[in-house]
Amino acid sequence: MHPEQQDWNALSDEDFRAIFRDWVDANCPAHLRFMRKQRPVFDEVAEWYHALARKGWLSPVWPQEWGGMGLNAAKHIVYVEEWARLGCPRIPDHGIGLTGPLLIEFGTPEQKDFFLPRILSGEHVWCQGYSEPNAGSDLASLRTSAVREGDEFVINGQKIWTTLAHCANWILLLARTDKDAPKPQNGITVLLVDLTSPGVVVRPIPNLREEADFCEVFLDDVRVPAKNVVGQVNGGWALAKAVLGHERIFLGAPSRPEYALTRLEMLAEDRGAFDDPAFRSRYAKLRLDLYDLGSAFERFAKVLREGGTLGADVSVLKLFCSELYQRITEETLAVAGEEARFYDDLPVGSGHVDAMNLFLDARAPAIFGGSNEIQRNILSKAVLGLPSR
Amino acid sequence: MHPEQQDWNALSDEDFRAIFRDWVDANCPAHLRFMRKQRPVFDEVAEWYHALARKGWLSPVWPQEWGGMGLNAAKHIVYVEEWARLGCPRIPDHGIGLTGPLLIEFGTPEQKDFFLPRILSGEHVWCQGYSEPNAGSDLASLRTSAVREGDEFVINGQKIWTTLAHCANWILLLARTDKDAPKPQNGITVLLVDLTSPGVVVRPIPNLREEADFCEVFLDDVRVPAKNVVGQVNGGWALAKAVLGHERIFLGAPSRPEYALTRLEMLAEDRGAFDDPAFRSRYAKLRLDLYDLGSAFERFAKVLREGGTLGADVSVLKLFCSELYQRITEETLAVAGEEARFYDDLPVGSGHVDAMNLFLDARAPAIFGGSNEIQRNILSKAVLGLPSR
Amino acid sequence: MPIILLDDPDSTLAMLRDSVATLGARADGAATFRRRRAAAVDLDPETWASMAAAGWAGLVLPEAAGGMGLGAAELVALAEALGRALLTEPFSTLAVFPSVLLGALDADIDALAEALIGGAVLPVLWQGLRGEVRPLALADGRLTGEAHLVPGAQSAQVFLVLAEEAGEPVLVSVEAASAGLRVHSRPGIDGATLGSVVLHDAVAGPVLARGAAVTDAFDQAIRMTRLALAAELAGIASRALEITVDYTSNRVQFAKTIASFQAVQHRLVDMWAEAEFACSSVANAATLADQPAAFAQAVLAAKARAGDAATAITRKAVHLHGAMGFTDQCDIGLYLKRAIALNATLGQPEELRLAFLDAERAA
Amino acid sequence: MPIILLDDPDSTLAMLRDSVATLGARADGAATFRRRRAAAVDLDPETWASMAAAGWAGLVLPEAAGGMGLGAAELVALAEALGRALLTEPFSTLAVFPSVLLGALDADIDALAEALIGGAVLPVLWQGLRGEVRPLALADGRLTGEAHLVPGAQSAQVFLVLAEEAGEPVLVSVEAASAGLRVHSRPGIDGATLGSVVLHDAVAGPVLARGAAVTDAFDQAIRMTRLALAAELAGIASRALEITVDYTSNRVQFAKTIASFQAVQHRLVDMWAEAEFACSSVANAATLADQPAAFAQAVLAAKARAGDAATAITRKAVHLHGAMGFTDQCDIGLYLKRAIALNATLGQPEELRLAFLDAERAA
């Protein structure tokens, strides 16, 4: 256990919230609060990353024996809520949120000993290599191959939408190890791949905001030691699906629409839009959508708090949240009026409102993490039990 | 040719419009204008029906040799537009709009001689027997059977959603004459059936407004002379689809939403809603939707006016029109506020606004005449050419 | 399927839900709706009596006054269950409203409370025809004026009346049988008539409260009644969704069930999401009942959300029932009509949202 | 696929459409957009010159002034084609606006018209930062003040300036190279910079018009520019729909094309309907050009409709392109950005609709 740790779960939510908030507020640098950029790269937030690591608070859910805080779901929600409320920046979190939990659950002792400390130290920055050009929503059809040769796997293929790969040095890769598996998802393996290996080329893909949030990763005869397989060869599908767990609730956390609404409010205040009852009417609708997203989030958080597990129905939060985020940013452009012609941020009395930045960013959450159409397909079966014929 | 007839198509649209409007305005009784009831029964509008028949203006598109006006599509549009503008009531029109045109195109000389004059005189009031309990949108699966016995067909089965059957004395019936046809639509026949025949039972179905717009028709060993078959036995599918022609444009005619908008305006004026900019904003949207429905209607009318034929794309009018009608009536309930709790009409300075009547009526057009979902299916294939796999 | 999730440590909520289900099984809600509508009355006396017998008339009346003294959570559970069962007697306006109003007073309400608990109908006269607050005039112990949108006006024994005397609000009662009191009825969309009550020099009972105590009591009554309405609307929304899932899962067109079409599935998912949000919004309000400022806001949000959800879901439900949904014989239309009625009672969503915003921005 | 249907008795419209297609084939619109954006300039000089060479700079300038003297129908056909081809040089604001403004004057405009036809950039200074009308001050033949949202400010040879002199509106010109004139640029969402032009005692040319003649000319210029913008937006809407139909008809997920999923099909149909309505609304306006009062209303309707349609369709189009749509390398995002820019130019839909309503209710 890290010297700063204690049994956080034994505290009341309120006490934990106060302790966490006070320290974060005192230690998260002001220039990193409420950043315009949704996904800063490692170097931009390294200072804050290391501060958290020193405190032992970098990884909220890892067990304390591995340097995490060991928070249960209820405390994890508090952690995420306060993080958002204080405007802390998103840190490159695939190591903490994805690779770490996967290794803790399925990794060998050697894998844990080697990789986990290097995540906490920031030496290893991870990215997630799942999607491919023809396997976006439909992961089972991925084609990147890993062929065993002695103690190594030789990897060939291409990944895409690999978030922040250009700033990462390791990738958690899904690759096909059995082309003849009766069901396509049965021939997939999870591998830990050093991005500095020969044969790896990473190419950033600028997004609508002309920022490189994600990348293509080309793998050409890349050799990976067999000891870097996580779990069973050909058993990767279950692993890839297992790690989400209760964290699916955070895909619907109100933080993005909440941030966008404060920006809309700032712009509306500055432009006098609140004097227009027609705007007030539309704003009130958005405000109450956000308020009720909070109530709905709490409805699922309550399940976790009482020790329950979440069903497929939790993705209703993601649907509502992503679409609300879009609607808020669309209204912001309407309030901007002729100034919606500008690409850069709009000056308001006290600073700037990144109206266009948010509008464009809001296109993403309805697509990534399983498009909203796919979510609706899943919900129609898993929750409503609708027939296929 | 009826003594009052002339070659209407030789007139300019403007001239025809003026002649038609002046006579209708002078002759359609005031108490029948802008009726609350969307579908009055024959007796309620008999006076107006006979006036039109005497004038020779009852059936706009029938050829003049059969007592119609012989209007082309452009003039027909003028006819329908002025009819709506002057608030004339809908008359029981299945004889004029459905049976008549079908017989004129496909009937035997005897059928024409017998039936057409009786439609014009009002002696025969027709209804349309297409839908069945398990064949609503999906007509090909209809099951009412007609079995040949000598010079007669014996009919058994049930029809539903038969508009105004309880006030009709003849029904244009689709029945299955071949159960073993390779494609189900190939075994269907059109028959002219006297509703006063033994074995016919008509039962009205009250609708959401507790009015009997439509009925169930039960047919139990009903005997119909074989000479009452229209076209070929087993050839009814093509006939049933043929009669619509350019008249599909009228499913999207702006008259219903236009009427509803005047009601919304009356209520809003009386209640001071126009002083509320938030209402003005919503009203302006509805107003311009109606305005643009007019432009879109004109886009298709122009095709007809220039002698063209309409494609599947014309049903965009029906989609937009039916959904606009709904949105207008929903806004009317919002303006009604607490008074939306009343079922009866709402008093305004100069009369009454039938807010709830219109709201409930507006549920229908999105369903009948091919539900809006079916329309979208058809459009996605016929207009956008979207793939099936 | 969506439900208002609330802590239920001693199973009171479950018991209330069971008891509604029992009544619902006996008194078919849809049939009662149609019967009452045909009779042009304001409530179904038998169902109302059963509800009173179950103790619901005094559910939120303080125990000191002989009521069950239950709170927001119990009220919400009961009202949601009534909504689901389509038990459409005017519980929120004729049980909750007078209970909270009377319970908030520092006055002798014993006789009125006893009547209320026993199933007597005690409508409150306070609204104008447009729903605005419209006190009657009290002078020399006599009432003059009119009130509208009055539930149970035909069946009333006693009316509770918001009046003004010398510029100050007062609350008095008046016997329904008083000379100088007349009732006119109009049909309501949910099958119960709504009354207009016109008083001319009608003899009032003693003044029950006066001044700020009256306005405070009205605020509380309106708030709790809105909460009950929100819960009832959430119940209607959830049940209408279930009925529609059932119907579309069994109705076959083009050799497939309607519910197997993706466009229908996505629409049903959206309806489900609306119902979920309605339920969680009402749950949120119920859990804030002991924090007055937050509760006031939460109730506004819940009533707006549940009203929008219930009207939108029932409209879509009617559509998904196809031609059948357009008939009076199909129950789904009754859910639509009931949703419209409750949504329009004590504030439509737009108005509630603006009240929320005004309060928040004033804070 | 949706198109603005107009009578074309002498095939002028077809010729204009062909000529845009020819330019579009040579000057790749998407590539030009990206190049101009990277260079942080206000237009692509080569494309602009080609457009002028084709006669489009003076398309609606009266023949008497050396223009082509064409009308609303031709303007609409050309602008629609530009929208479809993603030719995003500021045609509406830098060709249509000054052409109509100058053409409406009873003044010697020959030199200015010649420059305009030849491809010179003559932006009009009249807008404040929020888009409102903000005349500069003219005194003793010198201009002071600032204008914003100015297209082509960096490339301008001459500015046309709305100013006030002694409380009266006047129109004057000023050389871009004048001492006392400075330009600041900010990036626009459609890849062209927008200028702020600040004048301090800059020497103006002779007064071109004064009083009501100036406001009338501005009204006409704004109206025709809005019509051109509406047509361009309708073209963007239609083309974005086509691109999306193609993409989804070829992109395979779960062993089916995306466009074979019913939910996607219905969404595409709705997008098509929006584009159809945009086209018919613009066509309606074009046919009313000779009826001033009706035309004014029709243009408001068309710009509102086409703006809503283009922004909604391109947003949905980006979504239907999935992750690909979120990349800058995919052209569909450029259509979205262009739609936003034009929609926000000279009035967003809400503002236009309210102007329509105000005019109608005042009538």
Side-chain angles (χ1 to χ4, degrees), chain C residues 7-327:
Chain C
D7 289 331
D8 189 16
D10 57 3
S11 301
T12 311
L13 307 191
M15 277 165 46
L16 286 167
R17 289 186 180 118
D18 284 349
S19 121
V20 173
T22 306
L23 178 61
R26 210 171 65 230
D28 177 326
T32 311
F33 185 122
R34 293 193 178 91
R35 195 167 62 235
R36 194 183 55 202
R37 182 179 67 185
V41 293
D42 53 6
L43 52 74
D44 183 73
E46 197 181 329
T47 309
W48 185 255
S50 302
M51 291 168 69
W56 305 343
L59 188 85
V60 292
L61 197 68
E63 283 181 283
M68 294 177 72
L70 294 175
E74 292 80 11
L75 175 61
V76 156
L78 182 74
E80 178 193 29
L82 291 173
R84 293 182 65 85
L86 198 64
L87 287 169
T88 60
E89 305 316 317
F91 167 76
S92 300
T93 47
L94 286 183
V96 180
F97 200 110
S99 287
V100 179
L101 188 66
L102 292 173
L105 302 179
D106 186 19
D108 177 8
I109 59 161
D110 287 356
L112 292 166
E114 194 185 330
L116 182 62
I117 293 162
V121 174
L122 279 70
V124 185
L125 305 184
W126 68 285
Q127 278 189 319
L129 187 56
R130 311 280 181 254
E132 72 280 26
V133 177
R134 282 274 294 274
L136 288 76
L138 179 70
D140 302 328
R142 286 171 179 269
L143 283 164
T144 297
E146 56 186 62
H148 298 273
L149 299 161
V150 182
Q154 291 165 283
S155 303
Q157 279 84 4
V158 173
F159 293 98
L160 303 173
V161 184
L162 174 67
E164 263 183 8
E165 189 179 42
E168 192 184 40
V170 294
L171 185 68
V172 293
S173 64
V174 62
E175 297 287 323
S178 297
L181 185 154
R182 278 173 306 135
V183 172
H184 305 278
S185 290
R186 280 172 66 184
I189 179 67
D190 62 354
T193 59
L194 288 165
S196 290
V197 181
V198 182
L199 292 98
H200 187 75
D201 273 345
V203 178
V207 169
L208 293 163
R210 174 179 297 284
V214 175
T215 44
D216 284 355
F218 264 86
D219 283 350
Q220 287 182 48
I222 288 173
R223 193 164 298 145
M224 283 297 267
T225 308
R226 280 178 174 159
L227 179 63
L229 290 165
E232 205 171 338
L233 284 159
I236 290 170
S238 306
R239 182 65 193 136
L241 170 67
E242 284 172 14
I243 291 171
T244 309
V245 165
D246 275 1
Y247 181 81
T248 55
S249 295
N250 289 297
R251 169 85 178 159
V252 173
Q253 288 278 284
F254 302 104
K256 292 176 66 180
T257 58
I258 296 177
S260 70
F261 288 99
Q262 194 190 31
V264 174
Q265 294 187 338
H266 284 200
R267 193 185 296 212
L268 287 167
V269 166
D270 287 340
M271 290 160 68
W272 165 79
E274 290 177 281
E276 275 290 347
F277 269 68
C279 288
S280 55
S281 189
V282 177
N284 172 63
T287 58
L288 291 171
D290 56 355
Q291 301 171 45
F295 182 53
Q297 292 291 82
V299 168
L300 293 170
K303 171 77 165 60
R305 174 72 47 189
D308 270 342
T311 49
I313 288 170
T314 53
R315 277 199 316 259
K316 294 174 195 169
V318 163
H319 181 79
L320 288 171
H321 277 72
M324 190 58 73
F326 195 60
T327 66

Side-chain angles (χ1 to χ4, degrees), chain A residues 269 274 280-281 287-289 291-292 295-296 299 302 306 316 320 376-377 380-381 387-389, chain C residues 1 7 256-257 260 262 265-266 269-270 273 276-277 280-281 284 298 305 350 353 356 358 360-361:
Chain A
E269 291 280 9
F274 282 106
R280 285 182 83 93
S281 162
R287 174 66 189 95
L288 280 167
D289 283 345
Y291 181 88
D292 283 336
S295 297
R299 170 244 181 284
K302 182 175 163 64
E306 292 168 0
V316 70
F320 192 95
R376 286 187 168 87
N377 286 348
S380 74
K381 302 292 177 200
S388 295
R389 282 210 61 79
Chain C
M1 281 296 177
D7 289 331
K256 292 176 66 180
T257 58
S260 70
Q262 194 190 31
Q265 294 187 338
H266 284 200
V269 166
D270 287 340
E276 275 290 347
F277 269 68
S280 55
S281 189
N284 172 63
R305 174 72 47 189
E350 167 85 354
R353 284 193 297 263
F356 181 106
D358 288 345
E360 187 168 81
R361 290 182 58 82

